[in-house]
Amino acid sequence: MRESIGLYLHFPFCRRRCYYCSFVSTENREQDIPVYLECLKREISNHSGRFHLKSIYFGGGTPSLMTAGQFAELFDCIGQAFTIDKQAEITVEMNPGMLTSGYMEDLRNCGVNRLSIGVQSLNDDELGLLGRLHTASEALAAFRTACRSGFDNINMDLIYGLPGQGIETWEKTLNLAASLGPRHLSLYCLSLEATAILAGQIEAGILPPLDPDMAAGQYELAEAMLDGYGYRHYEISNWAKPGYECRHNLSCWLMEPYLGLGVAASSYLEKHRRTNVACLDEYIYLVCSGAAMLIETDEETGCDLQLAEAVILALRLENGADIARFNREYGIDLLKHYSCQISELVDLGLLSRKENSLSLTPKGRLLGNEVFWRFLPEQPS
Ligand code: SF4
């Protein structure tokens, strides 16, 4: 019997790198897309016959740089290697500014039924600051084109906590986005790795530093506003209209198995978390030379770490950690196992204990990391 899993495919190409980006992506290498897709197909074929797919997620990078023909070829390959659930959620991440209705209709014909559009802001000054290539009106046009092309299940990604961003511009972006009625909104607080261009501009004093208090206020505003628009805040950074929660990501947060293919993609199978090499040239070289191993890291998630990860991921969700499920699946008494952490976090007002579950309080959602690290096992020194 085939194991039922989610499939993630990483596409690491972008037209230009955004000024905040810390994802595995490259710019000015679009000529390498064909060879990369051949590598992906080889990786897919290596897993032939093993899995039944509940969901497929094309992430990046900018997967919408692929032509409709390239998508169709990938889907052929996926269909030969795996069985695909009739109800499978199939998502493609895309950037505005390059999307036509013909392209979107071709994606629908391939089986894609969910789009995730990287809108980020509906303010042109903010889009410029982020180094995005699209304008606000192009983002709105992309959303409308997607709707006209028959897509009902659309996510918009937005970013808050930008340097110098006030509450008013964020409120305008949120209001405009929510009034369009996308089924799903992902709101991310800007965080910068030292190598990001924006981090350098802040360091040089060209931009003001990030303001965590302002970001907290923007998050609270989103919580209050989106409720009024009929969204359910089902995960720390994600809001959805009822029934439109992202099933692929939900399955990852519940530590269900998934296979990740492509450069830097991670899998979680048989209680192992494996991650492919993160260097594009190395990935292509290894696949082309028929290497059996593309894996850079392979951790067996020991009991303590696995339990901690499962608790942390479950706490990200609105429903929190189901105590009975944890007791059953891990053969422990969750409340006793973490009694010190739980009583401290409840006292701090970060965690709420109900009869059958543990969940973050509104304050805990704002200060998630303060909660999460307490569940991690001590690392050997
Ligand atoms: S589109 Fe996404 S992956 Fe590509 S450079 Fe911008 S932030 Fe990075």
Side-chain angles (χ1 to χ4, degrees):
M1 171 117 160
R2 294 182 183 218
E3 188 179 5
S4 215
I5 63 159
L7 174 66
Y8 174 82
L9 296 136
H10 191 73
F11 183 83
F13 300 93
C14 290
R15 287 252 153 92
R16 186 182 76 187
R17 240 171 119 67
C18 302
Y19 299 161
Y20 60 97
C21 184
S22 56
F23 301 110
V24 175
S25 72
T26 55
E27 59 183 353
N28 298 322
R29 288 199 56 173
E30 287 170 51
Q31 71 280 6
D32 292 323
I33 292 175
V35 69
Y36 181 75
L37 294 181
E38 285 311 309
C39 292
L40 259 187
K41 286 186 218 159
R42 280 203 204 178
E43 246 202 305
I44 292 167
S45 304
N46 288 344
H47 294 275
S48 198
R50 287 181 64 194
F51 299 117
H52 178 70
L53 305 183
K54 293 186 296 180
S55 61
I56 304 174
Y57 194 104
F58 291 86
T62 309
S64 52
L65 284 179
M66 269 188 270
T67 64
Q70 286 169 330
F71 265 111
E73 282 179 24
L74 264 187
F75 273 108
D76 276 351
C77 183
I78 292 169
Q80 282 166 28
F82 309 114
T83 50
I84 305 176
D85 203 287
K86 283 196 176 65
Q87 307 297 323
E89 177 192 82
I90 304 179
T91 305
V92 172
E93 287 182 357
M94 48 179 49
N95 283 336
M98 49 169 76
L99 307 169
T100 63
S101 56
Y103 180 73
M104 297 214 198
E105 280 158 22
D106 286 343
L107 291 196
R108 280 197 70 215
N109 291 335
C110 288
V112 177
N113 51 28
R114 184 172 184 273
L115 297 181
S116 179
I117 307 180
V119 172
Q120 315 312 353
S121 171
L122 289 169
N123 175 299
D124 283 341
D125 291 337
E126 290 176 2
L127 288 167
L129 178 139
L130 290 168
R132 300 291 301 192
L133 285 172
H134 65 269
T135 61
S137 61
E138 284 170 330
L140 296 173
F143 177 78
R144 292 190 180 113
T145 306
C147 294
R148 270 202 311 276
S149 309
F151 281 99
D152 164 55
N153 193 354
I154 302 174
N155 169 59
M156 277 190 194
D157 280 348
L158 298 174
I159 304 183
Y160 62 97
L162 314 187
Q165 183 187 41
I167 202 94
E168 303 78 19
T169 52
W170 170 238
E171 188 175 3
K172 272 192 194 156
T173 285
L174 254 190
N175 255 322
L176 187 48
S179 64
L180 293 169
R183 303 299 188 214
H184 193 282
L185 284 164
S186 296
L187 311 185
Y188 299 111
C189 183
L190 183 70
S191 72
L192 296 171
E193 306 227 335
T195 49
I197 291 175
L198 274 186
Q201 291 176 337
I202 292 173
E203 180 75 24
I206 299 166
L207 289 173
L210 301 184
D211 178 348
D213 292 334
M214 174 59 80
Q218 291 169 332
Y219 184 80
E220 285 172 332
L221 176 78
E223 285 199 300
M225 266 179 59
L226 294 181
D227 190 47
Y229 278 102
Y231 290 91
R232 203 181 125 221
H233 189 185
Y234 75 101
E235 196 269 347
I236 284 188
S237 306
N238 290 283
W239 281 255
K241 298 274 171 105
Y244 287 91
E245 297 80 9
C246 176
R247 282 189 270 137
H248 181 84
N249 287 342
L250 265 178
S251 159
C252 299
W253 291 317
L254 291 170
M255 297 268 285
E256 292 170 355
Y258 56 89
L259 172 67
L261 302 179
V263 65
S266 285
S267 305
Y268 183 65
L269 294 169
E270 296 153 352
K271 306 213 182 305
H272 276 252
R273 193 174 301 287
R274 299 187 176 92
T275 304
N276 278 351
V277 290
C279 167
L280 178 59
D281 290 321
E282 190 182 359
Y283 171 82
I284 291 173
Y285 170 78
L286 287 171
V287 179
C288 289
S289 59
M293 291 294 288
L294 307 170
I295 309 291
E296 193 158 72
T297 59
D298 182 350
E299 298 167 36
E300 179 165 10
T301 44
C303 262
D304 267 0
L305 182 57
Q306 200 190 325
L307 174 64
E309 277 188 25
V311 170
I312 291 168
L313 288 172
L315 286 177
R316 295 185 63 92
L317 298 169
E318 180 191 33
N319 296 337
D322 175 337
I323 295 169
R325 177 174 82 89
F326 274 91
N327 292 354
R328 197 173 53 245
E329 287 183 10
Y330 291 87
I332 52 152
D333 180 330
L334 188 74
L335 297 179
K336 272 198 188 144
H337 194 87
Y338 290 119
S339 62
C340 298
Q341 292 92 325
I342 291 170
S343 62
E344 185 190 5
L345 289 165
V346 169
D347 288 347
L348 289 168
L350 298 172
L351 202 61
S352 151
R353 203 199 127 181
K354 300 194 187 95
E355 198 181 335
N356 297 317
S357 67
L358 284 175
S359 54
L360 296 178
T361 61
K363 184 175 164 196
R365 282 202 289 272
L366 267 177
L367 301 171
N369 289 339
E370 280 301 306
V371 176
F372 300 149
W373 69 259
R374 287 175 161 84
F375 289 94
L376 290 170
E378 280 186 23
Q379 301 295 318
S381 50

